[in-house]
Amino acid sequence: MNVHPIFVHFPIALLTVYAALELIRSKKLLTSETFFYVKAAFVIIGTLTTSLALQTGESAQHTYERSSPVYALIHTHSAWANITSIAFGIIAVIYGIIILEKILFAENVFAHDFLMKIKNFWNPFSRIAHMLYENSIIMIALALFGLAAVTITGSLGGAIVYGPDADPIVNAIYTFFMN
């Protein structure tokens, strides 16, 4: 039984909503801690559940013979699923580092020598994450790239299930990548 369709829609929804939220550039929202954590939850949970979609997709892929006419389409769909996972994974890591820093390293926790060594190790990662997060052009570009990747992945998946003529977007993406 192919359970892949059960696991793909949840991360697609979460990551699409995350990308839409990242594109909202209201100063009031951008300075809100709640908005930060909402976006973080969407991208982190979406990225983590993507691993289930990738694993079940691998299982489904093995049910097709390499000589199957659909196999090349499945291979391209799989490649774009991995690209999607990596794109949103980068964003999730940025948010994760900032959240861990807020939780673990608040309130002068570094009174002990061991914890000071951890902080010294952690600082470069923290600086990079903050630099990326605070650069709205980078975050918007990553969100747009992730949104494009999830759209391509989903369209190719739709072409596998419903055929390349399922709708105009699926047809355009299928024609671009498969011809």
Side-chain angles (χ1 to χ4, degrees):
M1 180 176 152
N2 182 6
V3 296
H4 181 61
I6 296 169
F7 290 100
V8 297
H9 296 98
F10 188 64
I12 288 171
L14 290 174
L15 297 174
T16 301
V17 170
Y18 160 75
L21 292 174
E22 192 63 62
L23 297 176
I24 298 172
R25 305 314 289 178
S26 157
K27 185 172 179 148
K28 183 177 180 182
L29 287 175
L30 290 174
T31 58
S32 166
E33 281 286 308
T34 303
F35 191 63
F36 169 84
Y37 283 110
V38 167
K39 291 189 303 181
F42 275 105
V43 74
I44 291 169
I45 295 168
T47 300
L48 291 173
T49 57
T50 298
S51 65
L52 292 171
L54 291 172
Q55 290 171 1
T56 58
E58 284 291 320
S59 296
Q61 181 177 355
H62 294 303
T63 63
Y64 290 89
E65 299 285 329
R66 287 190 181 267
S67 60
S68 168
V70 180
Y71 193 81
L73 175 57
I74 293 170
H75 183 72
T76 305
H77 169 71
S78 176
W80 275 98
N82 286 317
I83 291 168
T84 301
S85 181
I86 291 167
F88 284 111
I90 291 167
I91 299 168
V93 167
I94 293 168
Y95 276 92
I97 288 171
I98 294 170
I99 289 171
L100 282 173
E101 181 179 48
K102 287 180 180 193
I103 293 170
L104 299 176
F105 303 143
E107 304 295 326
N108 292 326
V109 181
F110 298 105
H112 298 86
D113 289 339
F114 174 72
L115 293 175
M116 283 303 290
K117 289 178 184 175
I118 291 174
K119 186 173 184 187
N120 291 337
F121 172 77
W122 183 264
N123 280 339
F125 297 106
S126 174
R127 277 195 298 277
I128 292 168
H130 281 281
M131 179 194 67
L132 294 171
Y133 179 75
E134 291 166 6
N135 187 328
S136 60
I137 293 172
I138 290 174
M139 294 305 288
I140 289 171
L142 286 170
L144 284 173
F145 180 76
L147 185 60
V150 78
T151 302
I152 292 166
T153 304
S155 295
L156 294 173
I160 293 167
V161 175
Y162 301 108
D165 296 322
D167 69 39
I169 294 172
V170 169
N171 185 270
I173 290 172
Y174 176 85
T175 301
F176 184 80
F177 286 99
M178 301 309 298
N179 287 334

